């Protein structure tokens, strides 16, 4: 449903326009002044405003609206005899003007054209973004349409964005859309999972390091900030960053400066940050686990991705999209989801959200011989694998080793230093392999070791088997 903002200081005109907008099937928002209207413009598809108002007139409101969103159509209401002012407003960017007292049909035509133009621009922008990210954006729910609309508006602004949501809701999709619809779309999009590697390596991964900066650093390498220069850096699970690294991230945000580990040289970078988290960072701040100043730097705009249980209208469209995607990926015959199966999927609980739904559909497609899938295809069990392809193979996914105690959970005192170091090294390598999806070349690069050395370590610690032969790239 399109939303139209009505701005007029006369109650009778506001009431008449509100009724007209409602009768057209749109949602009206009402403001009595220009200042009040500016608090609402982020939520609407068109604005109709009186020209003559106290404090802020229609021309001033037009300029203020277009400073925030140059594509938002504004229709001006002018009194008879002020057409010259109206023409000046058109030259300043107004979409249309209508004289008062207005003709209902004339106003409906003007509003209809304005709303249609706005929605067409939004659709074109979404199609361009879908082409850029290489996937369709599927949503039928009002909650997701509102989120995507907000994402498109925020994308055009050079501000830091915090994307919050439960695991599997699609925060990474929002990060990709923010980049694809931004002026930085031609630059690099780089992702860094703050929780996928040990805290000891997080600083070097983000800001880079020199040769010999630490054990295993056989060559210098740029960090993710340098790789994302003139583009966007998406920090997944930013709440996992240790406090020591948070301080250096704050400096990078404030001053655009980074210092590689082991270097005395400060480097300038131009990077937009999109931070994603499944945590309530405000609560983390109160608990002392997250810096308050960094939180406010990251959450200039905060976007909340709703869980799948709050947007069940999206489940049928998502399920059909995943069925098409994985039938093509697995080389299956055409797969169709029977209405009864879709009903079962829509009624199911999805604690893992969209990612869990995707995994389940991938598994059903992989196990089918094509054709129509009935409700018996869905046994109600969640897919526990970490990726749809792993779910389709029936694999439990990569082993996610955590750094910590030595093998068998024994006390550190019962193991030699060599055994403890081996345990730590195995943990670091396993987590890095998990972060790169088993890509050995990328893992070796991130770890700062040669491919041969990594291969030897994988064999020694029996890690390679965790990722399968298909991942040994």
């Amino acid at each position: 449903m399109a939303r139209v903002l009505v701005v007029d200081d006369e109650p009778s005109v506001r009431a008449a326009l509100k009724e007209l907008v409602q009768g057209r099937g749109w949602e009206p928002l009402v403001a009595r002044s220009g200042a009040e209207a500016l608090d609402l413009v982020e939520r609407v598809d068109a604005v109709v405003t009186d020209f003559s108002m106290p404090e802020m007139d229609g021309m001033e409101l037009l300029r203020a609206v277009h400073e925030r969103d140059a594509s938002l159509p504004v229709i001006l209401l002018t009194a008879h005899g002020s057409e010259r002012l109206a023409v000046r407003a058109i030259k300043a960017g107004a979409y249309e003007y209508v004289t008062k007292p207005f003709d209902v049909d004339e106003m409906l035509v003007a509003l209809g054209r304005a709303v249609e133009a706005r929605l067409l621009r939004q659709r074109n922008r979404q199609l361009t973004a879908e082409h850029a990210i290489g996937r369709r954006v599927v949503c039928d729910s009002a909650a997701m349409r509102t989120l995507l609309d907000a994402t498109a508006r925020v994308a055009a602004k050079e501000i830091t964005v915090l994307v919050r949501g439960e695991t599997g809701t699609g925060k990474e999709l929002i990060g990709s859309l923010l980049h694809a619809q931004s002026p930085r779309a031609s630059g690099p999009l780089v992702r860094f999972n703050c929780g996928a590697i040990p805290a000891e390596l997080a600083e070097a991964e983000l800001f880079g390091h020199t040769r010999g900066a630490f054990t295993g650093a056989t060559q210098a390498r740029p960090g993710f900030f340098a790789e994302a220069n003139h583009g966007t850096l998406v920090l997944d699970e930013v709440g996992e960053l240790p406090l020591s690294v948070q301080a250096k991230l704050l400096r990078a945000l404030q001053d655009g400066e980074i210092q590689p580990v082991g270097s005395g040289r400060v480097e300038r970078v131009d990077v937009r940050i999109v931070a994603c988290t499944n945590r309530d960072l405000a609560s983390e701040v109160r608990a002392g686990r997250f810096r308050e100043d960094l939180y406010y730097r990251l959450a200039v705009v905060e976007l909340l991705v709703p869980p799948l249980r709050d947007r069940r209208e999206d489940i049928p469209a998502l399920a059909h999209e995943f069925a098409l995607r994985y039938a093509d990926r697995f080389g299956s015959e055409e797969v169709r989801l029977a209405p009864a199966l879709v009903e079962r999927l829509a009624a199911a609980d999805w604690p893992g959200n969209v990612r869990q739904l995707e995994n389940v559909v991938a598994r059903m497609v992989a196990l089918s011989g094509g054709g129509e899938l009935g409700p018996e295809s869905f046994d109600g069990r969640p897919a526990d694998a970490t990726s749809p392809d792993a779910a389709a193979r029936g694999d439990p996914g990569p082993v996610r080793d955590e750094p910590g105690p030595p093998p068998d959970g024994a006390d550190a005192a019962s193991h030699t230093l060599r055994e403890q170091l081996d345990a730590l090294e195995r943990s670091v390598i396993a987590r890095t392999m998990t972060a790169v999806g088993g890509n050995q070349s990328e893992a070796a690069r991130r770890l700062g070791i040669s491919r041969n050395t990594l291969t030897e370590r994988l064999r020694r610690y029996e890690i390679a088997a965790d990722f399968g032969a298909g991942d040994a790239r």
Side-chain angles (χ1 to χ4, degrees), residues 296-318:
Y296 290 123
R297 278 282 177 179
L298 294 175
V300 177
V301 170
E302 190 167 335
L303 298 177
L304 180 63
V305 187
L308 198 53
R309 62 181 173 275
D310 291 343
R311 49 183 173 110
R312 291 184 179 273
E313 310 98 297
D314 290 333
I315 293 176
L318 285 168

Side-chain angles (χ1 to χ4, degrees), residues 270-289:
D270 174 22
V271 176
R272 183 190 190 179
I273 296 293
V274 175
C276 303
T277 183
N278 58 10
R279 295 188 181 188
D280 181 353
L281 290 189
S283 298
E284 295 293 294
V285 168
R286 290 191 293 271
R289 292 187 292 266

Side-chain angles (χ1 to χ4, degrees), residues 173-186:
L173 172 64
I174 299 302
S176 297
L177 289 173
L178 284 168
H179 175 73
Q181 298 176 96
S182 77
R184 295 174 177 264
S186 60

Side-chain angles (χ1 to χ4, degrees), residues 246-297:
Q246 290 179 29
K248 298 188 177 183
L249 175 58
L250 179 64
R251 179 185 179 186
L253 285 171
Q254 288 177 328
D255 306 323
E257 296 180 345
I258 61 171
Q259 185 172 356
V261 176
S263 171
R265 186 181 71 258
V266 172
E267 300 176 3
R268 298 282 304 175
V269 289
D270 174 22
V271 176
R272 183 190 190 179
I273 296 293
V274 175
C276 303
T277 183
N278 58 10
R279 295 188 181 188
D280 181 353
L281 290 189
S283 298
E284 295 293 294
V285 168
R286 290 191 293 271
R289 292 187 292 266
F290 202 84
R291 291 181 63 107
E292 184 176 21
D293 47 6
L294 177 58
Y295 170 64
Y296 290 123
R297 278 282 177 179

Side-chain angles (χ1 to χ4, degrees), residues 105-171:
D105 291 335
E106 181 185 3
M107 177 61 75
L108 282 175
V109 168
L111 274 174
R113 286 201 302 258
V115 169
E116 183 179 0
R118 169 71 167 186
L119 298 181
L120 183 60
R121 277 195 293 267
Q122 288 177 337
R123 180 58 182 155
N124 287 340
R125 188 165 50 191
Q126 180 176 326
L127 289 172
T128 301
E130 288 177 348
H131 177 73
I133 65 176
R135 58 191 287 195
R136 286 206 320 130
V137 178
V138 179
C139 78
D140 284 336
S141 66
M144 279 302 293
R145 285 199 300 270
T146 299
L147 173 63
L148 293 176
D149 188 28
T151 300
R153 290 197 301 268
V154 170
K157 301 173 175 63
E158 280 291 319
I159 51 178
T160 303
V161 181
L162 178 65
V163 183
R164 283 202 306 117
E166 296 177 7
T167 298
T169 49
K171 299 186 293 296

Side-chain angles (χ1 to χ4, degrees), residues 1-217:
M1 180 187 297
R3 292 183 291 268
V4 177
L5 175 59
V6 172
V7 191
D8 203 297
D9 58 327
E10 295 183 29
S12 59
V13 177
R14 290 199 306 272
L17 285 170
K18 179 180 178 181
E19 184 176 349
L20 185 149
V21 170
Q22 286 176 322
R24 181 62 176 75
W26 299 321
E27 178 185 351
L29 279 72
V30 178
R32 294 166 294 182
S33 66
E36 189 176 314
L38 289 178
D39 293 331
L40 302 171
V41 294
E42 298 284 347
R43 300 164 48 192
V44 300
D45 301 299
V47 178
V48 54
T49 178
D50 190 17
F51 190 95
S52 300
M53 295 185 294
E55 297 181 7
M56 180 184 289
D57 65 21
M59 183 72 80
E60 292 172 314
L61 177 59
L62 170 66
R63 294 194 190 100
V65 166
H66 282 181
E67 284 179 2
R68 300 186 180 200
D69 187 348
S71 68
L72 184 62
V74 177
I75 297 173
L76 285 170
L77 284 172
T78 64
H80 279 298
S82 59
E83 284 84 354
R84 187 175 300 174
L85 291 175
V87 171
R88 200 178 83 208
I90 294 293
K91 291 181 178 178
Y95 185 82
E96 182 65 274
Y97 75 90
V98 177
T99 56
K100 296 170 67 173
F102 60 83
D103 178 80
V104 170
D105 291 335
E106 181 185 3
M107 177 61 75
L108 282 175
V109 168
L111 274 174
R113 286 201 302 258
V115 169
E116 183 179 0
R118 169 71 167 186
L119 298 181
L120 183 60
R121 277 195 293 267
Q122 288 177 337
R123 180 58 182 155
N124 287 340
R125 188 165 50 191
Q126 180 176 326
L127 289 172
T128 301
E130 288 177 348
H131 177 73
I133 65 176
R135 58 191 287 195
R136 286 206 320 130
V137 178
V138 179
C139 78
D140 284 336
S141 66
M144 279 302 293
R145 285 199 300 270
T146 299
L147 173 63
L148 293 176
D149 188 28
T151 300
R153 290 197 301 268
V154 170
K157 301 173 175 63
E158 280 291 319
I159 51 178
T160 303
V161 181
L162 178 65
V163 183
R164 283 202 306 117
E166 296 177 7
T167 298
T169 49
K171 299 186 293 296
E172 68 286 347
L173 172 64
I174 299 302
S176 297
L177 289 173
L178 284 168
H179 175 73
Q181 298 176 96
S182 77
R184 295 174 177 264
S186 60
L189 171 62
V190 178
R191 295 184 179 279
F192 174 66
N193 191 326
C194 302
I197 64 172
E200 304 83 33
L201 295 179
E203 182 181 350
E205 287 290 293
L206 274 175
F207 307 116
H209 62 79
T210 62
R211 180 179 179 181
F214 50 84
T215 303

